[in-house]
Amino acid sequence: MSGEPEPRPDDGGEAPTRGPGEGALTAGQGNARTGTGRLMERVVSIPNLQAALKRVEANRGSPGSDGMKWDELRPWLRTHWKELSEQLLSGAYQPTAVRHVEIEKRGGGLRMLGIPSVLDRFVQQACLQVLQPIFDPTFSQHSHGFRPGRRAQDAIREAQGYVQEGRHWVVDVDLERFFDRVNHDVLMGRLAKRIEDKRLLRLIRRYLEAGMMADGVVIERHEGTPQGGPLSPLLTNVLLDEVDRELERTGHCFVRYADDCNVYVRSEKAGARVMARLSKLYAKLRLKINAEKSAVAPVFERKFLGFSFWVDSTGKVRRKVAKKAMQSLKAKVKAITRRNGGRSLSQVIEELASYLVGWRGYFRHAETPGVFDALDGWIRRRLRLLQLKQWKRGTTAYPALLARGVSPASAARIARNLHRWWHNSMLSNVAFPNRYYDELGLPRLVT
Protein backbone atom coordinates (compact mmCIF):
# COMPACT_ATOMS: atom_id res chain seq x y z
CA MET A 1 0.00 0.00 0.00
CA SER A 2 1.10 3.54 -0.71
CA GLY A 3 2.91 5.12 2.22
CA GLU A 4 3.65 1.84 3.97
CA PRO A 5 7.25 1.05 4.93
CA GLU A 6 8.95 -1.58 2.77
CA PRO A 7 9.31 -4.90 4.65
CA ARG A 8 12.89 -5.85 5.36
CA PRO A 9 14.38 -8.86 3.56
CA ASP A 10 14.62 -11.96 5.68
CA ASP A 11 17.97 -12.01 7.45
CA GLY A 12 17.71 -15.67 8.35
CA GLY A 13 17.20 -14.92 12.03
CA GLU A 14 14.68 -16.52 14.33
CA ALA A 15 11.04 -15.80 13.54
CA PRO A 16 9.44 -13.35 15.96
CA THR A 17 6.72 -14.69 18.21
CA ARG A 18 4.22 -11.84 18.05
CA GLY A 19 1.25 -11.67 15.68
CA PRO A 20 0.01 -9.13 13.14
CA GLY A 21 -1.92 -7.25 15.79
CA GLU A 22 1.36 -6.70 17.65
CA GLY A 23 3.70 -5.69 14.85
CA ALA A 24 5.84 -8.78 14.13
CA LEU A 25 7.15 -10.50 10.97
CA THR A 26 7.61 -14.17 10.30
CA ALA A 27 10.67 -15.56 8.56
CA GLY A 28 10.31 -15.13 4.82
CA GLN A 29 7.59 -12.46 5.03
CA GLY A 30 9.87 -9.62 4.02
CA ASN A 31 10.61 -10.78 0.48
CA ALA A 32 8.12 -8.55 -1.34
CA ARG A 33 9.56 -7.55 -4.73
CA THR A 34 8.69 -5.10 -7.42
CA GLY A 35 6.28 -6.67 -9.95
CA THR A 36 3.57 -9.24 -9.53
CA GLY A 37 5.56 -12.46 -9.23
CA ARG A 38 5.73 -12.46 -5.42
CA LEU A 39 2.59 -10.67 -4.38
CA MET A 40 1.81 -13.14 -1.61
CA GLU A 41 4.79 -11.82 0.32
CA ARG A 42 3.13 -8.41 0.21
CA VAL A 43 -0.17 -9.92 1.32
CA VAL A 44 1.36 -11.44 4.47
CA SER A 45 3.59 -8.47 5.31
CA ILE A 46 2.89 -7.17 8.78
CA PRO A 47 1.82 -3.62 7.81
CA ASN A 48 -0.64 -5.08 5.31
CA LEU A 49 -2.05 -7.61 7.78
CA GLN A 50 -2.40 -4.98 10.49
CA ALA A 51 -4.32 -2.72 8.12
CA ALA A 52 -6.56 -5.62 7.07
CA LEU A 53 -7.27 -6.54 10.69
CA LYS A 54 -8.26 -2.97 11.55
CA ARG A 55 -10.57 -2.81 8.54
CA VAL A 56 -12.32 -6.09 9.41
CA GLU A 57 -12.75 -5.00 13.01
CA ALA A 58 -14.10 -1.62 11.92
CA ASN A 59 -16.62 -3.26 9.58
CA ARG A 60 -17.63 -5.80 12.24
CA GLY A 61 -20.20 -7.81 10.30
CA SER A 62 -21.92 -11.13 10.90
CA PRO A 63 -20.18 -14.46 11.50
CA GLY A 64 -19.63 -16.79 8.57
CA SER A 65 -20.38 -20.50 8.39
CA ASP A 66 -17.82 -21.31 11.11
CA GLY A 67 -19.51 -19.07 13.68
CA MET A 68 -16.43 -16.99 14.55
CA LYS A 69 -17.36 -13.40 15.52
CA TRP A 70 -15.40 -10.37 14.41
CA ASP A 71 -14.11 -9.64 17.94
CA GLU A 72 -12.75 -13.19 18.21
CA LEU A 73 -10.40 -12.75 15.24
CA ARG A 74 -7.62 -10.83 16.99
CA PRO A 75 -7.29 -13.36 19.88
CA TRP A 76 -7.30 -16.20 17.33
CA LEU A 77 -4.51 -14.57 15.31
CA ARG A 78 -2.32 -14.20 18.38
CA THR A 79 -1.88 -17.96 18.47
CA HIS A 80 -2.49 -18.99 14.86
CA TRP A 81 -1.09 -16.16 12.75
CA LYS A 82 2.22 -17.89 12.00
CA GLU A 83 0.44 -21.03 10.83
CA LEU A 84 -1.89 -18.90 8.68
CA SER A 85 1.02 -17.02 7.14
CA GLU A 86 2.84 -20.23 6.29
CA GLN A 87 -0.28 -21.69 4.67
CA LEU A 88 -0.72 -18.58 2.52
CA LEU A 89 2.92 -18.53 1.46
CA SER A 90 2.96 -22.24 0.63
CA GLY A 91 -0.38 -22.14 -1.19
CA ALA A 92 -1.99 -24.58 1.26
CA TYR A 93 -4.66 -22.26 2.67
CA GLN A 94 -8.25 -23.44 2.12
CA PRO A 95 -11.19 -21.02 2.55
CA THR A 96 -14.34 -22.18 4.33
CA ALA A 97 -17.80 -22.23 2.75
CA VAL A 98 -19.62 -18.90 2.72
CA ARG A 99 -22.87 -18.46 4.65
CA HIS A 100 -25.96 -17.85 2.53
CA VAL A 101 -28.10 -14.85 3.59
CA GLU A 102 -30.70 -12.66 1.90
CA ILE A 103 -31.13 -8.93 2.50
CA GLU A 104 -33.63 -6.35 1.26
CA LYS A 105 -32.56 -4.28 -1.74
CA ARG A 106 -32.81 -0.50 -1.41
CA GLY A 107 -35.40 -0.39 -4.19
CA GLY A 108 -37.28 -3.50 -3.06
CA GLY A 109 -36.78 -7.23 -3.49
CA LEU A 110 -34.10 -9.48 -2.05
CA ARG A 111 -30.38 -9.74 -2.74
CA MET A 112 -28.47 -12.94 -2.07
CA LEU A 113 -25.20 -12.55 -0.20
CA GLY A 114 -22.47 -15.04 0.59
CA ILE A 115 -20.89 -14.08 3.91
CA PRO A 116 -17.32 -15.41 4.25
CA SER A 117 -15.96 -16.34 7.65
CA VAL A 118 -14.29 -13.54 9.59
CA LEU A 119 -10.90 -15.16 8.91
CA ASP A 120 -11.59 -15.33 5.17
CA ARG A 121 -12.73 -11.69 5.20
CA PHE A 122 -9.40 -10.84 6.84
CA VAL A 123 -7.41 -12.75 4.19
CA GLN A 124 -9.49 -11.30 1.35
CA GLN A 125 -9.01 -7.80 2.72
CA ALA A 126 -5.24 -8.36 2.87
CA CYS A 127 -5.31 -9.51 -0.77
CA LEU A 128 -7.49 -6.57 -1.79
CA GLN A 129 -5.05 -4.07 -0.30
CA VAL A 130 -2.29 -5.48 -2.49
CA LEU A 131 -4.32 -5.91 -5.68
CA GLN A 132 -6.31 -2.69 -5.67
CA PRO A 133 -3.30 -0.37 -6.16
CA ILE A 134 -2.30 -2.54 -9.14
CA PHE A 135 -5.68 -2.68 -10.88
CA ASP A 136 -7.62 0.41 -9.87
CA PRO A 137 -5.45 3.05 -11.60
CA THR A 138 -5.97 1.22 -14.90
CA PHE A 139 -9.78 1.08 -14.72
CA SER A 140 -11.96 3.37 -16.83
CA GLN A 141 -12.75 6.82 -15.45
CA HIS A 142 -16.42 6.05 -16.19
CA SER A 143 -16.45 3.16 -13.69
CA HIS A 144 -17.51 4.32 -10.23
CA GLY A 145 -18.55 1.27 -8.26
CA PHE A 146 -16.54 0.23 -5.20
CA ARG A 147 -13.45 2.24 -6.05
CA PRO A 148 -11.43 4.45 -3.69
CA GLY A 149 -12.63 8.04 -3.75
CA ARG A 150 -15.68 7.29 -5.93
CA ARG A 151 -19.36 7.08 -5.01
CA ALA A 152 -22.70 6.32 -6.59
CA GLN A 153 -23.46 10.06 -6.53
CA ASP A 154 -20.47 10.65 -8.82
CA ALA A 155 -21.96 8.25 -11.34
CA ILE A 156 -25.33 10.02 -11.13
CA ARG A 157 -23.73 13.41 -11.76
CA GLU A 158 -21.80 12.11 -14.76
CA ALA A 159 -25.00 10.64 -16.21
CA GLN A 160 -26.80 13.92 -15.53
CA GLY A 161 -24.17 15.76 -17.56
CA TYR A 162 -24.73 13.50 -20.57
CA VAL A 163 -28.47 14.09 -20.41
CA GLN A 164 -27.92 17.84 -20.13
CA GLU A 165 -25.87 17.66 -23.36
CA GLY A 166 -28.94 16.35 -25.19
CA ARG A 167 -28.46 12.59 -24.96
CA HIS A 168 -32.05 11.83 -24.06
CA TRP A 169 -32.01 8.12 -24.88
CA VAL A 170 -30.39 5.58 -22.61
CA VAL A 171 -29.23 2.02 -23.17
CA ASP A 172 -30.05 0.69 -19.71
CA VAL A 173 -28.31 -2.66 -19.25
CA ASP A 174 -29.13 -5.14 -16.52
CA LEU A 175 -27.05 -8.32 -16.51
CA GLU A 176 -28.95 -11.50 -15.79
CA ARG A 177 -27.96 -12.82 -12.35
CA PHE A 178 -24.50 -11.33 -12.78
CA PHE A 179 -22.96 -12.35 -9.45
CA ASP A 180 -24.27 -15.89 -9.91
CA ARG A 181 -23.08 -16.20 -13.51
CA VAL A 182 -19.49 -14.97 -13.43
CA ASN A 183 -17.44 -17.55 -15.32
CA HIS A 184 -14.44 -18.53 -13.21
CA ASP A 185 -12.18 -19.39 -16.14
CA VAL A 186 -12.87 -16.10 -17.92
CA LEU A 187 -12.25 -14.08 -14.76
CA MET A 188 -9.09 -15.98 -13.85
CA GLY A 189 -7.82 -15.44 -17.38
CA ARG A 190 -8.18 -11.68 -16.96
CA LEU A 191 -6.40 -11.81 -13.62
CA ALA A 192 -3.57 -13.99 -14.93
CA LYS A 193 -2.72 -11.32 -17.51
CA ARG A 194 -1.72 -9.00 -14.67
CA ILE A 195 -0.71 -11.33 -11.83
CA GLU A 196 2.29 -13.65 -12.02
CA ASP A 197 2.09 -15.05 -8.49
CA LYS A 198 0.47 -18.48 -8.94
CA ARG A 199 -0.19 -18.78 -5.21
CA LEU A 200 -2.37 -15.69 -5.20
CA LEU A 201 -4.19 -16.78 -8.35
CA ARG A 202 -4.82 -20.19 -6.80
CA LEU A 203 -6.15 -18.58 -3.62
CA ILE A 204 -8.56 -16.36 -5.56
CA ARG A 205 -9.89 -19.35 -7.50
CA ARG A 206 -10.43 -21.19 -4.22
CA TYR A 207 -12.48 -18.26 -2.97
CA LEU A 208 -14.53 -18.33 -6.16
CA GLU A 209 -15.12 -22.07 -5.81
CA ALA A 210 -15.75 -22.11 -2.06
CA GLY A 211 -19.11 -23.72 -1.36
CA MET A 212 -22.15 -21.90 0.00
CA MET A 213 -23.76 -23.14 3.21
CA ALA A 214 -27.55 -22.92 3.35
CA ASP A 215 -29.61 -24.64 6.06
CA GLY A 216 -26.56 -26.60 7.17
CA VAL A 217 -25.84 -27.99 3.71
CA VAL A 218 -22.78 -26.94 1.67
CA ILE A 219 -23.61 -26.41 -2.01
CA GLU A 220 -20.72 -26.55 -4.49
CA ARG A 221 -20.17 -23.55 -6.77
CA HIS A 222 -18.80 -23.75 -10.29
CA GLU A 223 -19.58 -20.19 -11.35
CA GLY A 224 -20.35 -16.87 -9.73
CA THR A 225 -18.70 -14.59 -7.21
CA PRO A 226 -21.05 -14.11 -4.23
CA GLN A 227 -21.57 -10.60 -2.93
CA GLY A 228 -20.39 -10.16 0.63
CA GLY A 229 -16.61 -10.63 0.50
CA PRO A 230 -14.07 -7.78 0.24
CA LEU A 231 -12.64 -9.12 -3.04
CA SER A 232 -15.92 -9.43 -4.99
CA PRO A 233 -16.22 -5.74 -6.01
CA LEU A 234 -12.66 -5.63 -7.36
CA LEU A 235 -13.19 -8.87 -9.29
CA THR A 236 -16.36 -7.37 -10.79
CA ASN A 237 -14.42 -4.38 -12.08
CA VAL A 238 -11.60 -6.58 -13.42
CA LEU A 239 -14.09 -8.61 -15.47
CA LEU A 240 -16.22 -5.73 -16.77
CA ASP A 241 -13.35 -3.35 -17.53
CA GLU A 242 -13.01 -4.99 -20.95
CA VAL A 243 -16.48 -3.74 -21.92
CA ASP A 244 -15.65 -0.28 -20.55
CA ARG A 245 -12.56 -0.10 -22.75
CA GLU A 246 -14.51 -1.03 -25.86
CA LEU A 247 -17.13 1.64 -25.12
CA GLU A 248 -14.33 4.18 -24.68
CA ARG A 249 -12.67 3.09 -27.90
CA THR A 250 -15.87 3.66 -29.85
CA GLY A 251 -16.44 7.07 -28.22
CA HIS A 252 -19.64 6.30 -26.33
CA CYS A 253 -20.85 8.27 -23.31
CA PHE A 254 -21.49 5.79 -20.53
CA VAL A 255 -21.47 5.31 -16.78
CA ARG A 256 -20.95 2.04 -14.94
CA TYR A 257 -21.45 1.24 -11.28
CA ALA A 258 -20.55 -2.40 -10.58
CA ASP A 259 -22.80 -4.41 -12.90
CA ASP A 260 -25.14 -1.46 -13.67
CA CYS A 261 -24.20 0.18 -16.99
CA ASN A 262 -25.99 3.02 -18.79
CA VAL A 263 -24.96 4.31 -22.23
CA TYR A 264 -26.39 7.71 -23.25
CA VAL A 265 -27.17 8.38 -26.92
CA ARG A 266 -29.16 10.89 -28.99
CA SER A 267 -31.64 8.59 -30.72
CA GLU A 268 -33.48 5.31 -30.33
CA LYS A 269 -31.81 3.96 -33.47
CA ALA A 270 -28.33 4.64 -32.06
CA GLY A 271 -29.40 2.99 -28.80
CA ALA A 272 -30.49 -0.16 -30.61
CA ARG A 273 -27.08 -0.44 -32.26
CA VAL A 274 -25.32 -0.04 -28.92
CA MET A 275 -27.53 -2.64 -27.25
CA ALA A 276 -26.73 -5.16 -29.99
CA ARG A 277 -23.02 -4.45 -29.63
CA LEU A 278 -23.14 -4.80 -25.85
CA SER A 279 -24.91 -8.15 -26.13
CA LYS A 280 -21.94 -9.48 -28.13
CA LEU A 281 -19.37 -7.99 -25.78
CA TYR A 282 -20.99 -9.50 -22.70
CA ALA A 283 -21.41 -12.84 -24.47
CA LYS A 284 -17.62 -13.01 -24.84
CA LEU A 285 -17.47 -12.84 -21.05
CA ARG A 286 -20.12 -15.60 -20.79
CA LEU A 287 -22.63 -13.05 -19.48
CA LYS A 288 -26.17 -12.40 -20.65
CA ILE A 289 -28.26 -9.22 -20.74
CA ASN A 290 -31.58 -9.50 -18.93
CA ALA A 291 -34.08 -8.69 -21.70
CA GLU A 292 -36.94 -8.00 -19.27
CA LYS A 293 -35.10 -5.42 -17.18
CA SER A 294 -32.90 -3.87 -19.89
CA ALA A 295 -34.16 -1.39 -22.48
CA VAL A 296 -33.41 1.34 -24.98
CA ALA A 297 -35.72 4.04 -23.67
CA PRO A 298 -36.20 7.79 -23.14
CA VAL A 299 -33.90 8.70 -20.28
CA PHE A 300 -36.64 10.35 -18.23
CA GLU A 301 -38.52 7.05 -18.07
CA ARG A 302 -35.67 5.08 -16.49
CA LYS A 303 -33.98 5.05 -13.11
CA PHE A 304 -30.28 4.69 -12.33
CA LEU A 305 -28.96 3.75 -8.88
CA GLY A 306 -32.23 4.85 -7.28
CA PHE A 307 -32.34 8.24 -9.04
CA SER A 308 -34.13 9.56 -12.11
CA PHE A 309 -34.00 12.88 -13.97
CA TRP A 310 -36.39 15.73 -14.65
CA VAL A 311 -36.15 19.13 -16.38
CA ASP A 312 -36.94 22.38 -14.57
CA SER A 313 -38.53 25.49 -16.08
CA THR A 314 -35.15 26.79 -17.22
CA GLY A 315 -34.37 23.62 -19.16
CA LYS A 316 -31.79 22.37 -16.67
CA VAL A 317 -31.68 18.64 -15.97
CA ARG A 318 -32.18 17.84 -12.30
CA ARG A 319 -31.87 14.76 -10.08
CA LYS A 320 -34.74 13.25 -8.11
CA VAL A 321 -35.42 10.11 -6.11
CA ALA A 322 -36.85 7.47 -8.44
CA LYS A 323 -40.46 6.42 -7.95
CA LYS A 324 -39.56 2.89 -6.87
CA ALA A 325 -37.13 4.18 -4.23
CA MET A 326 -39.83 6.49 -2.88
CA GLN A 327 -42.28 3.60 -2.67
CA SER A 328 -39.69 1.53 -0.85
CA LEU A 329 -39.14 4.33 1.70
CA LYS A 330 -42.85 4.66 2.41
CA ALA A 331 -43.29 0.91 2.75
CA LYS A 332 -40.44 0.76 5.27
CA VAL A 333 -41.77 3.71 7.30
CA LYS A 334 -45.25 2.17 7.37
CA ALA A 335 -43.82 -1.14 8.56
CA ILE A 336 -41.85 0.50 11.37
CA THR A 337 -44.72 2.69 12.54
CA ARG A 338 -47.25 -0.12 12.24
CA ARG A 339 -45.56 -2.86 14.25
CA ASN A 340 -45.63 -1.13 17.61
CA GLY A 341 -45.56 -4.37 19.64
CA GLY A 342 -45.87 -2.53 22.94
CA ARG A 343 -42.86 -0.31 22.26
CA SER A 344 -42.79 3.31 23.34
CA LEU A 345 -42.84 6.11 20.80
CA SER A 346 -39.18 6.87 21.52
CA GLN A 347 -38.24 3.25 20.69
CA VAL A 348 -40.14 3.43 17.40
CA ILE A 349 -38.39 6.69 16.54
CA GLU A 350 -35.00 5.16 17.36
CA GLU A 351 -35.58 2.40 14.77
CA LEU A 352 -36.99 4.88 12.29
CA ALA A 353 -34.05 7.25 12.76
CA SER A 354 -31.53 4.49 12.01
CA TYR A 355 -33.20 3.85 8.65
CA LEU A 356 -33.82 7.51 7.74
CA VAL A 357 -30.24 8.61 8.42
CA GLY A 358 -28.92 6.05 5.93
CA TRP A 359 -31.61 6.87 3.37
CA ARG A 360 -30.98 10.60 3.68
CA GLY A 361 -27.24 10.10 3.40
CA TYR A 362 -27.65 8.34 0.06
CA PHE A 363 -30.39 10.50 -1.47
CA ARG A 364 -29.42 13.89 -0.07
CA HIS A 365 -28.09 14.90 -3.51
CA ALA A 366 -31.60 14.82 -5.02
CA GLU A 367 -32.61 18.27 -6.23
CA THR A 368 -36.19 18.16 -4.92
CA PRO A 369 -36.32 19.82 -1.47
CA GLY A 370 -40.10 20.23 -1.74
CA VAL A 371 -40.54 16.47 -2.01
CA PHE A 372 -38.38 15.86 1.05
CA ASP A 373 -40.32 18.48 3.01
CA ALA A 374 -43.59 16.70 2.14
CA LEU A 375 -42.06 13.37 3.19
CA ASP A 376 -41.04 14.85 6.54
CA GLY A 377 -44.64 15.94 7.09
CA TRP A 378 -45.98 12.52 6.10
CA ILE A 379 -43.59 10.71 8.46
CA ARG A 380 -44.57 12.94 11.40
CA ARG A 381 -48.22 12.30 10.59
CA ARG A 382 -47.59 8.56 10.74
CA LEU A 383 -46.11 9.03 14.22
CA ARG A 384 -49.07 11.11 15.38
CA LEU A 385 -51.33 8.32 14.17
CA LEU A 386 -49.30 5.85 16.21
CA GLN A 387 -49.66 8.00 19.33
CA LEU A 388 -53.43 8.21 18.90
CA LYS A 389 -53.63 4.42 18.60
CA GLN A 390 -51.67 4.07 21.83
CA TRP A 391 -54.14 6.33 23.61
CA LYS A 392 -57.02 4.19 22.36
CA ARG A 393 -55.58 1.24 24.22
CA GLY A 394 -54.62 3.13 27.37
CA THR A 395 -54.88 6.73 28.48
CA THR A 396 -58.13 8.53 27.67
CA ALA A 397 -57.57 10.76 24.69
CA TYR A 398 -59.45 13.87 25.86
CA PRO A 399 -57.42 14.74 28.98
CA ALA A 400 -54.21 13.71 27.25
CA LEU A 401 -54.90 16.13 24.39
CA LEU A 402 -55.74 18.91 26.84
CA ALA A 403 -52.43 18.27 28.62
CA ARG A 404 -50.67 18.65 25.26
CA GLY A 405 -52.16 22.12 24.71
CA VAL A 406 -55.08 21.25 22.42
CA SER A 407 -58.19 23.41 22.87
CA PRO A 408 -61.17 21.74 24.63
CA ALA A 409 -63.30 21.89 21.46
CA SER A 410 -60.62 20.28 19.27
CA ALA A 411 -59.75 17.70 21.94
CA ALA A 412 -63.40 16.71 22.24
CA ARG A 413 -63.79 16.44 18.46
CA ILE A 414 -60.73 14.21 18.13
CA ALA A 415 -61.69 12.06 21.13
CA ARG A 416 -65.23 11.50 19.80
CA ASN A 417 -63.89 10.27 16.45
CA LEU A 418 -60.71 8.57 17.58
CA HIS A 419 -61.26 5.69 15.13
CA ARG A 420 -60.59 8.10 12.26
CA TRP A 421 -56.85 7.66 12.80
CA TRP A 422 -55.43 9.28 9.67
CA HIS A 423 -57.80 12.28 9.77
CA ASN A 424 -57.09 12.91 13.44
CA SER A 425 -53.35 12.55 12.95
CA MET A 426 -53.51 15.73 10.88
CA LEU A 427 -55.56 17.56 13.53
CA SER A 428 -53.21 16.56 16.35
CA ASN A 429 -50.22 18.57 15.10
CA VAL A 430 -50.88 21.11 17.88
CA ALA A 431 -50.38 18.41 20.48
CA PHE A 432 -47.31 17.07 18.68
CA PRO A 433 -45.54 19.92 16.86
CA ASN A 434 -42.46 19.35 14.74
CA ARG A 435 -40.12 20.32 17.56
CA TYR A 436 -41.60 17.48 19.68
CA TYR A 437 -40.22 14.91 17.23
CA ASP A 438 -36.97 16.84 16.86
CA GLU A 439 -36.46 16.48 20.60
CA LEU A 440 -37.15 12.74 20.39
CA GLY A 441 -34.36 12.38 17.82
CA LEU A 442 -36.34 12.05 14.60
CA PRO A 443 -34.05 13.21 11.75
CA ARG A 444 -35.47 15.46 9.05
CA LEU A 445 -34.92 14.61 5.40
CA VAL A 446 -34.68 18.32 4.59
CA THR A 447 -31.34 19.53 5.94
Side-chain angles (χ1 to χ4, degrees):
M1 294 287 288
S2 176
E4 291 182 353
E6 285 295 320
R8 292 180 301 170
D10 177 36
D11 58 7
E14 182 180 352
T17 58
R18 292 180 297 166
E22 300 162 285
L25 276 172
T26 63
Q29 281 188 331
N31 291 331
R33 296 177 180 174
T34 304
T36 62
R38 297 183 64 81
L39 291 180
M40 193 58 78
E41 277 71 20
R42 300 187 194 180
V43 170
V44 300
S45 70
I46 289 305
N48 190 59
L49 293 179
Q50 288 174 329
L53 178 59
K54 289 179 181 178
R55 185 61 181 266
V56 170
E57 289 178 331
N59 290 341
R60 301 195 173 194
S62 303
S65 60
D66 64 351
M68 181 187 288
K69 299 178 181 179
W70 67 268
D71 56 355
E72 296 173 336
L73 177 60
R74 186 179 289 265
W76 186 92
L77 288 172
R78 288 195 180 104
T79 56
H80 297 281
W81 70 277
K82 184 178 180 181
E83 176 187 352
L84 172 65
S85 176
E86 290 173 348
Q87 287 181 352
L88 290 170
L89 287 171
S90 68
Y93 182 79
Q94 292 285 351
T96 58
V98 298
R99 182 169 64 89
H100 173 269
V101 297
E102 291 180 340
I103 63 169
E104 292 183 8
K105 292 182 180 180
R106 186 184 299 277
L110 295 175
R111 173 179 286 115
M112 185 184 73
L113 297 183
I115 306 299
S117 69
V118 175
L119 178 59
D120 282 330
R121 294 206 295 271
F122 167 67
V123 175
Q124 284 194 38
Q125 181 64 36
C127 293
L128 175 66
Q129 291 166 180
V130 170
L131 293 175
Q132 197 159 49
I134 296 172
F135 283 94
D136 193 80
T138 68
F139 289 148
S140 168
Q141 63 176 331
H142 306 293
S143 167
H144 297 272
F146 309 111
R147 298 180 59 191
R150 292 173 178 259
R151 304 171 301 166
Q153 288 78 9
D154 299 322
I156 297 297
R157 288 196 181 94
E158 184 178 350
Q160 183 180 7
Y162 294 143
V163 179
Q164 186 67 61
E165 292 172 1
R167 294 176 172 83
H168 290 173
W169 284 83
V170 60
V171 183
D172 187 354
V173 174
D174 182 273
L175 295 175
E176 190 173 278
R177 297 178 60 194
F178 170 75
F179 289 97
D180 297 330
R181 296 285 178 82
V182 169
N183 183 279
H184 294 172
D185 291 335
V186 173
L187 174 56
M188 292 307 302
R190 300 308 185 270
L191 290 169
K193 291 179 180 179
R194 304 280 300 277
I195 300 174
E196 299 176 61
D197 195 322
K198 303 299 182 183
R199 298 165 300 175
L200 185 51
L201 289 172
R202 189 161 51 246
L203 177 62
I204 293 173
R205 181 176 279 277
R206 285 175 181 168
Y207 274 122
L208 292 173
E209 296 177 347
M212 180 172 289
M213 180 174 287
D215 299 323
V217 178
V218 177
I219 303 170
E220 292 186 359
R221 260 201 346 260
H222 303 288
E223 62 178 3
T225 171
Q227 301 180 74
L231 267 178
S232 291
L234 178 67
L235 299 181
T236 296
N237 285 328
V238 168
L239 184 63
L240 296 180
D241 187 62
E242 185 170 314
V243 177
D244 295 345
R245 292 306 178 188
E246 180 60 21
L247 288 172
E248 285 182 340
R249 189 188 68 79
T250 50
H252 286 100
C253 297
F254 73 98
V255 183
R256 183 174 66 79
Y257 191 92
D259 59 321
D260 290 322
C261 183
N262 278 8
V263 184
Y264 297 88
V265 295
R266 297 184 184 274
S267 69
E268 184 177 10
K269 187 176 181 180
R273 290 196 300 268
V274 172
M275 181 67 83
R277 178 59 178 154
L278 284 174
S279 295
K280 294 179 180 179
L281 290 173
Y282 287 124
K284 290 182 179 179
L285 301 177
R286 311 283 180 87
L287 299 171
K288 184 179 179 181
I289 291 177
N290 188 323
E292 292 183 2
K293 296 184 178 181
S294 302
V296 176
V299 71
F300 300 108
E301 297 178 3
R302 305 293 290 185
K303 64 180 179 68
F304 182 47
L305 301 178
F307 287 83
S308 56
F309 300 114
W310 62 286
V311 181
D312 66 15
S313 58
T314 68
K316 187 171 182 179
V317 176
R318 301 288 190 178
R319 304 179 296 274
K320 67 177 181 179
V321 181
K323 182 179 179 180
K324 188 175 181 180
M326 291 286 285
Q327 292 171 340
S328 178
L329 165 72
K330 288 194 170 185
K332 183 69 173 181
V333 171
K334 285 181 179 179
I336 293 174
T337 55
R338 184 185 300 123
R339 58 173 188 265
N340 183 32
R343 295 177 301 162
S344 67
L345 185 64
S346 61
Q347 289 174 320
V348 173
I349 288 179
E350 182 180 359
E351 181 181 353
L352 192 59
S354 177
Y355 173 74
L356 291 177
V357 167
W359 194 93
R360 182 183 65 187
Y362 183 82
F363 287 108
R364 70 182 185 274
H365 299 284
E367 299 170 298
T368 50
V371 173
F372 281 15
D373 190 52
L375 278 174
D376 278 332
W378 177 81
I379 292 169
R380 288 191 292 266
R381 192 173 175 187
R382 290 285 309 179
L383 290 170
R384 293 181 183 115
L385 179 150
L386 179 61
Q387 183 66 71
L388 291 173
K389 286 186 175 181
Q390 289 178 336
W391 279 343
K392 175 72 174 180
R393 291 193 301 271
T395 309
T396 303
Y398 180 74
L401 288 166
L402 289 179
R404 296 293 307 170
V406 179
S407 68
S410 295
R413 186 167 66 253
I414 294 173
R416 281 197 303 269
N417 301 283
L418 201 59
H419 63 282
R420 299 178 63 191
W421 306 117
W422 188 246
H423 175 72
N424 284 327
S425 66
M426 180 175 64
L427 298 177
S428 61
N429 58 357
V430 174
F432 305 104
N434 296 348
R435 67 176 180 276
Y436 173 77
Y437 297 106
D438 292 339
E439 292 169 356
L440 285 176
L442 179 70
R444 297 195 185 197
L445 299 179
V446 175
T447 55

